[in-house]
Amino acid sequence: MNSIKVELDPQFNQLLTIVHVSCDTSEEQLKQYASSHKIPWAFVPFEDRSRLKKMFGCWAGRDNEEADILTSRQSYTLRSRYSLGNRQIKHQQYSSAIATFSSLLHDHPTDSHTYVALGALHQRLSNDSLSIETYQTGLVNCPDNVFILTGYALNAGRIGDNALSKTLFQRVLTLDPTNPYAAHGLAMLIYRGGDISEAIDILSETIKFKKGRTGAVICSLGELLTVHGKVEESRAVYERFGRNLSLAKDRTEVMLGWAQLEEKHFNSDQRATTILQDAITLNAQSSPPPPSEDEWLKLALKKLVEKGKEKGKKNSSSSSSSNSTSISNSNSLSFSQHKPFNVNLVGNAYLSSLSPPSPSPSPSPTPSSTSSFRANLHAALNNPTTLPPKLVPTDAALLILWAEEKLKQNTPSSLPKAREILLLAHSNFPKDASVLHFHGIIEEKSRNFVEARRLFERSLEIHPTVETHMCLARLLTRISSSSSSPRAIKSAERHYELAMILNNRHGALYNSFASFYEVSKGNVTKAREIYTKGVRMNCTDSTSVYHGYAKLELKGGNVELAKQILKAGLRVSKTSLSSNYAKSSRLSHTLGMVLFNENNLQTAKEVFTDGMQRSHRKSRSRLALGLALVEARLGNDDEARKMFNLAIVADEKHPHAWQAWGVMEQQRGNFIVAKKLFEKGLKTNPQHGALWQAYGNMESRRGNLERARRLLKAGFQKCSNDVHVLQAWASLELKMGNVDDSKALLSTAISLDKSVPSVWSTLLKFEEQNGNNESCETVIAQGLINVKGDARLLLNVGNYYVRRGRFGDARRCFEMALECDPTFAPVYHSFAECEARLGNIAGISRLNKLAAMHFRRDGSLKSPYKAAGRTLTEEGRG
């Protein structure tokens, strides 16, 4: 083994020992040697021997002898040991790095940089308590040290202690008002809290000092001013500092942000081009010139030049920026994956919109033809029924945008019209990868799987992207499920692996890949490994990884673990200044619903309220609905109504909000109000089956059977594949005595979806009422084959056996139901009645002990199982 052993001499704690190691010495032998001497150790390759000579004044040569030979022992300086710790971190030798830093601090307890490095390392390893302890010890030995205070503030913000983080940042600024890192961190913390004006004031004060004019501070100030609607002031900030920064890294960040502002908000491609050219010129004058910075500037400049060629110099517009992101990001470069340095910005996403040159660019149009197309597109969007006359398709991106708008209209003609547009785009741009990608999506939606596969594969030949690999993998998985093709499964797995090679920090990719293993291969362990890797990789969309991981654990009944994952995701998102912070509201919603189903209402309320502070419009609607459900269960009807109203104002088309509000009013006896709510919900969401079902069930309970029948019939016509509506209709017909109609509807429901437990339960009830005992046995056998592990179906089957006097079969069904969900309370009731009829006192006692393990005296759950993972839709339908 060609290595050099580096260790602290046990007799002289501040001396370094370098040991030559023979070629055949194993790593295990070295570990035993280090263990016997009770000292930390690390490996240094022979290729680093020149650096060792420079550091330690010795030559590290190659030995042919078996024995360890001591070659040098001399003073081990503080900086050398600090550098060693950093190299150990670089090579992922974290235990060794911790030992190195700890021994260094033992000898030099006032070295602030080592406290910061050790605290950051513990933070990286998620050892929050050790990280906090390190920073606190550092402040004891180095009072008011700005480096330790800043590191401690960042760590406090990461774990969610915003109050402490804010206090520490403010203390740093009291000691050093020009500190750009503390000013930037404090401003971003305040911005996330909703006070954008104060954040702008802090950054504006910071750039008055030369020390505070870093790229991150200037870009964040420009972005905040832009978000606040002060684009002229933002331009003035960029113009004042952009060309005057000395560091190439800072200058590149600022001028890229400036160019984005000119292109996106002032529609000035020409000025953006000039800014980028000036940045390249200034970087060329640096010594040495920064190649990595120039790479991004030239890529941005190339994008603008190509845009000018495609759209004409007289027709510059900011719409290309939005187009590039709306086309599934198929040609986008990942900012955090490729950028060679870290940028702490609020919204400087310019680099993320840079696209590599198209392998086969679209033909260059004349300015007049592009203007004509834009006018026709606008007319088409206002008149969605017809294609615009004399369409001049000069821009592939616009055609894709148009097709997307058609799909969003969600009418019966949306898909055919979108497909017609994509066929037109394909005929004019046969080698455009984005057109092929989106055309493949349309064909898949149209169930033309063979053509969709061909289009995806052709798109990958021209320009491979993560999104296209994912789409093709999902399509192949879908094909394999219908045809049981192992080759398709293997091919899908290969495309996921290729996507990982392209971008191993793509959050949606980890979700899709893990779902593939969970659903298609039934390998939950492998799915869990993929999510764990996604969490470790700190993906660009980390919230989606945490959310998918938590959902996986909820499905398996691991509710406590799911809660820990969701809380970890929320902690991580609080340190993010990107869209992750807004997207993290989905974590708040899921965690809140889990707590709600546990009946932990006050904590759920706190989670929903915290999520509201970081949410965008549609997620705010979901969170407001969660708060409304909490208030309704607490009996605060007026507060619940306010939250329901807020949810609908945030998203008028949110069907669950209309449904849940209507159900609450129905339960309170306000039937007229409930009726109006259901009708308004159906007006905005005519294809939402649960709304039809809730409205029909309310009328049925009120005795308006004919009206309930009309509603459920209309609901099935609008939602032809909604088995739940069909099952509710069948139950109503059975209630009205229409036996044949009920059976026909149930048969239709089973033909649509055999996996819905309530359909089999209703069919069993139907056959039992008609005295068809043999048919009941057939229904039970088929139902248990098609529906695996449903406690409610097993309960209904058990109750049927009790009524038939078959207590042994009933007990087996109840036992299976408790295995599926030990928190499903009705099973205990029915099981206890069965045992009582048999006189089995011991059995009743066992059930009481089992119930005490899962329920408190007030009936709330102690350790929720699947109940905590039940979705809102399931609750509403129930």
Side-chain angles (χ1 to χ4, degrees):
M1 182 175 183
N2 298 334
S3 299
I4 299 172
K5 181 90 167 21
V6 180
E7 63 193 15
L8 292 178
D9 190 281
Q11 297 177 353
F12 305 96
N13 202 35
Q14 295 186 19
L15 298 182
L16 175 74
T17 300
I18 301 179
V19 181
H20 283 201
V21 180
S22 61
C23 296
D24 58 352
T25 302
S26 68
E27 182 176 346
E28 186 61 35
Q29 288 174 308
L30 287 174
K31 286 183 180 179
Q32 291 175 359
Y33 179 83
S35 176
S36 64
H37 289 76
K38 297 182 180 179
I39 50 177
W41 60 280
F43 290 110
V44 178
F46 271 112
E47 288 73 14
D48 289 348
R49 57 179 180 252
S50 59
R51 189 171 63 188
L52 286 173
K53 181 179 180 181
K54 181 179 178 182
M55 287 173 55
F56 308 123
C58 68
W59 179 259
R62 191 185 299 268
D63 259 338
N64 294 319
E65 298 179 7
E66 294 291 333
D68 296 342
I69 301 174
L70 183 66
T71 60
S72 174
R73 177 180 289 156
Q74 65 179 57
S75 178
Y76 194 10
T77 65
L78 185 150
R79 285 305 102 200
S80 298
R81 293 163 73 182
Y82 182 80
S83 299
L84 174 62
N86 284 328
R87 285 199 308 278
Q88 289 167 334
I89 293 174
K90 183 178 179 181
H91 291 94
Q92 299 183 0
Q93 298 171 351
Y94 300 127
S95 299
S96 301
I98 290 172
T100 300
F101 287 140
S102 299
S103 65
L104 197 159
L105 288 172
H106 180 269
D107 299 330
H108 302 275
T110 59
D111 184 52
S112 60
H113 293 288
T114 305
Y115 283 112
V116 173
L118 182 57
L121 178 56
H122 283 310
Q123 177 181 325
R124 182 175 181 176
L125 299 174
S126 300
N127 298 327
D128 293 335
S129 59
L130 290 176
S131 180
I132 292 170
E133 183 181 339
T134 301
Y135 288 123
Q136 290 175 344
T137 305
L139 289 175
V140 170
N141 293 312
C142 313
D144 283 341
N145 183 277
V146 294
F147 301 109
I148 299 176
L149 284 167
T150 303
Y152 193 5
L154 291 171
N155 181 71
R158 186 186 71 84
I159 62 177
D161 194 344
N162 292 336
L164 176 60
S165 180
K166 186 175 181 179
T167 302
L168 292 168
F169 279 134
Q170 288 171 337
R171 180 59 182 163
V172 174
L173 292 176
T174 303
L175 298 167
D176 180 9
T178 66
N179 189 297
Y181 307 105
H184 185 266
L186 180 60
M188 296 303 99
L189 197 64
I190 291 171
Y191 167 67
R192 289 203 301 261
D195 193 344
I196 190 171
S197 298
E198 186 180 350
I200 289 172
D201 291 341
I202 292 170
L203 295 178
S204 298
E205 284 295 317
T206 305
I207 62 172
K208 291 179 180 179
F209 305 96
K210 185 176 181 180
K211 179 183 173 182
R213 296 167 191 165
T214 65
V217 170
I218 295 168
C219 285
S220 292
L221 177 57
E223 287 292 331
L224 286 175
L225 288 167
T226 303
V227 171
H228 205 38
K230 300 178 179 181
V231 290
E232 290 290 350
E233 291 183 32
S234 177
R235 175 192 261 181
V237 169
Y238 284 123
E239 193 165 9
R240 178 183 173 190
F241 299 108
R243 295 185 177 89
N244 300 321
L245 296 171
S246 56
L247 288 178
K249 179 176 83 70
D250 289 341
R251 186 171 57 244
T252 299
E253 294 172 18
V254 173
M255 297 193 80
L256 278 168
W258 185 9
Q260 179 198 22
L261 181 76
E262 294 293 342
E263 181 197 9
K264 189 173 181 181
H265 294 279
F266 291 98
N267 297 332
S268 179
D269 288 3
Q270 185 59 45
R271 189 165 184 182
T273 302
T274 303
I275 292 165
L276 294 172
Q277 289 172 337
D278 289 350
I280 292 171
T281 303
L282 289 169
N283 281 351
Q285 297 170 1
S286 303
S287 180
S292 58
E293 314 303 330
D294 272 2
E295 178 185 344
W296 285 100
L297 289 167
K298 288 174 181 177
L299 183 57
L301 184 59
K302 194 169 187 179
K303 172 181 177 286
L304 281 173
V305 170
E306 287 183 353
K307 178 184 171 185
K309 287 180 181 179
E310 291 178 5
K311 301 196 173 183
K313 293 181 180 179
K314 294 182 181 180
N315 189 41
S316 61
S317 170
S318 63
S319 65
S320 65
S321 175
S322 61
N323 288 344
S324 65
T325 58
S326 65
I327 309 165
S328 303
N329 290 322
S330 58
N331 286 328
S332 63
L333 295 176
S334 171
F335 174 67
S336 56
Q337 178 190 12
H338 297 285
K339 188 148 178 24
F341 49 84
N342 294 324
V343 187
N344 295 321
L345 307 182
V346 178
N348 185 5
Y350 193 71
L351 292 182
S352 65
S353 67
L354 301 183
S355 300
S358 175
S360 175
S362 306
S364 301
T366 62
S368 60
S369 62
T370 302
S371 300
S372 173
F373 179 83
R374 286 182 183 280
N376 285 328
L377 174 60
H378 182 72
L381 294 179
N382 289 330
N383 182 13
T385 58
T386 60
L387 286 168
K390 299 180 181 178
L391 180 67
V392 184
T394 58
D395 192 320
L398 284 174
L399 284 167
I400 294 173
L401 175 63
W402 186 21
E404 285 183 325
E405 290 295 331
K406 281 289 182 186
L407 282 179
K408 287 177 185 177
Q409 292 167 1
N410 197 25
T411 63
S413 63
S414 295
L415 187 59
K417 289 295 182 184
R419 186 167 182 264
E420 190 175 346
I421 295 165
L422 262 298
L423 287 170
L424 178 65
H426 193 190
S427 63
N428 286 276
F429 309 104
K431 294 185 179 180
D432 189 296
S434 299
V435 169
L436 290 163
H437 170 89
F438 201 74
H439 191 186
I441 292 174
I442 295 295
E443 293 298 340
E444 183 180 0
K445 288 179 179 293
S446 303
R447 303 189 67 81
N448 299 325
F449 297 150
V450 175
E451 180 64 9
R453 181 175 182 175
R454 187 188 69 80
L455 290 165
F456 286 139
E457 289 173 345
R458 178 62 178 144
S459 177
L460 289 172
E461 289 174 7
I462 296 171
H463 180 64
T465 65
V466 172
E467 287 76 13
T468 309
H469 275 298
M470 286 170 59
C471 285
L472 182 52
R474 283 195 290 257
L475 174 64
L476 290 167
T477 305
R478 191 174 178 181
I479 291 172
S480 68
S481 64
S482 59
S483 61
S484 301
S485 171
R487 289 183 60 186
I489 285 284
K490 193 168 184 178
S491 183
E493 187 174 12
R494 182 174 62 85
H495 280 288
Y496 279 122
E497 291 168 350
L498 290 172
M500 282 287 184
I501 293 172
L502 285 176
N503 185 355
N504 64 354
R505 296 185 64 239
H506 193 291
L509 173 58
Y510 283 95
N511 274 337
S512 187
F513 199 6
S515 177
F516 164 78
Y517 272 106
E518 178 198 359
V519 177
S520 301
K521 290 199 163 189
N523 192 340
V524 177
T525 302
K526 182 66 175 178
R528 190 175 285 118
E529 288 176 6
I530 291 170
Y531 279 126
T532 304
K533 181 182 177 183
V535 168
R536 190 171 62 248
M537 291 302 295
N538 189 24
C539 295
T540 49
D541 181 13
S542 60
T543 56
S544 67
V545 180
Y546 282 101
H547 193 252
Y549 193 1
K551 286 174 65 179
L552 176 73
E553 298 301 344
L554 282 174
K555 287 180 184 176
N558 304 319
V559 179
E560 288 302 320
L561 177 57
K563 284 161 61 177
Q564 292 175 18
I565 293 167
L566 292 166
K567 290 174 183 177
L570 287 170
R571 285 198 301 270
V572 170
S573 70
K574 287 181 179 179
T575 64
S576 172
L577 301 179
S578 66
S579 59
N580 266 349
Y581 187 69
K583 289 179 180 177
S584 64
S585 59
R586 77 177 85 170
L587 299 175
S588 299
H589 178 262
T590 303
L591 178 58
M593 289 306 299
V594 170
L595 294 166
F596 173 77
N597 284 304
E598 290 180 355
N599 212 33
N600 192 348
L601 301 181
Q602 289 300 330
T603 309
K605 187 175 179 178
E606 292 170 7
V607 170
F608 285 131
T609 304
D610 175 67
M612 291 278 284
Q613 296 174 359
R614 71 179 78 197
S615 60
H616 50 72
R617 183 176 62 85
K618 286 196 174 181
S619 62
R620 187 175 297 116
S621 177
R622 293 194 297 269
L623 291 160
L625 174 56
L627 273 172
L629 294 172
V630 170
E631 297 291 0
R633 185 171 289 185
L634 288 170
N636 304 327
D637 290 354
D638 290 337
E639 286 298 319
R641 291 185 180 100
K642 288 179 184 178
M643 290 297 107
F644 279 128
N645 188 62
L646 181 60
I648 288 169
V649 169
D651 182 10
E652 188 181 9
K653 294 186 177 181
H654 190 180
H656 296 303
W658 293 105
Q659 176 202 354
W661 193 357
V663 170
M664 187 196 84
E665 297 296 352
Q666 173 195 336
Q667 291 171 348
R668 304 300 187 267
N670 303 323
F671 298 114
I672 296 175
V673 176
K675 177 182 176 183
K676 290 180 179 178
L677 290 168
F678 287 139
E679 288 175 349
K680 286 182 179 179
L682 289 172
K683 188 175 181 181
T684 57
N685 300 276
Q687 294 179 316
H688 192 264
L691 270 169
W692 290 103
Q693 185 181 351
Y695 194 5
N697 287 342
M698 183 185 78
E699 294 295 347
S700 174
R701 291 189 186 104
R702 295 182 68 197
N704 302 327
L705 302 184
E706 286 297 333
R707 178 168 176 76
R709 174 194 277 169
R710 289 196 299 271
L711 286 168
L712 293 172
K713 183 178 181 180
F716 180 66
Q717 289 172 348
K718 291 286 185 180
C719 323
S720 55
N721 291 325
D722 195 312
V723 177
H724 297 279
V725 175
L726 200 58
Q727 179 259 326
W729 185 10
S731 297
L732 177 66
E733 294 294 347
L734 186 61
K735 182 178 180 180
M736 297 173 70
N738 302 322
V739 176
D740 293 337
D741 291 342
S742 178
K743 186 168 185 178
L745 291 170
L746 288 170
S747 299
T748 305
I750 288 173
S751 66
L752 288 172
D753 189 351
K754 295 180 180 179
S755 64
V756 179
S758 58
V759 174
W760 293 102
S761 296
T762 305
L763 185 57
L764 176 62
K765 181 180 178 181
F766 168 85
E767 297 293 359
E768 184 183 6
Q769 284 186 2
N770 286 277
N772 301 327
N773 294 331
E774 291 184 4
S775 298
C776 286
E777 295 297 329
T778 304
V779 169
I780 290 170
Q782 292 181 353
L784 295 179
I785 289 172
N786 288 288
V787 182
K788 304 292 185 182
D790 185 80
R792 191 179 295 273
L793 177 59
L794 287 164
L795 171 65
N796 291 330
V797 173
N799 286 333
Y800 165 78
Y801 284 138
V802 168
R803 290 190 294 271
R804 297 283 298 163
R806 295 167 57 178
F807 298 112
D809 292 334
R811 294 180 80 250
R812 280 193 293 273
C813 287
F814 293 142
E815 291 281 5
M816 291 167 64
L818 288 176
E819 288 177 10
C820 295
D821 186 357
T823 65
F824 190 40
V827 178
Y828 290 92
H829 178 74
S830 296
F831 202 171
E833 281 193 346
C834 178
E835 297 288 20
R837 293 179 67 172
L838 291 171
N840 188 357
I841 305 301
I844 296 175
S845 176
R846 183 182 68 87
L847 285 172
N848 286 334
K849 290 178 181 178
L850 183 60
M853 293 171 58
H854 298 284
F855 297 92
R856 300 185 182 93
R857 289 185 177 274
D858 62 358
S860 61
L861 294 171
K862 285 183 179 179
S863 55
Y865 191 66
K866 294 184 179 178
R870 288 174 189 149
T871 65
L872 180 62
T873 306
E874 289 169 347
E875 283 201 346
R877 289 187 183 276

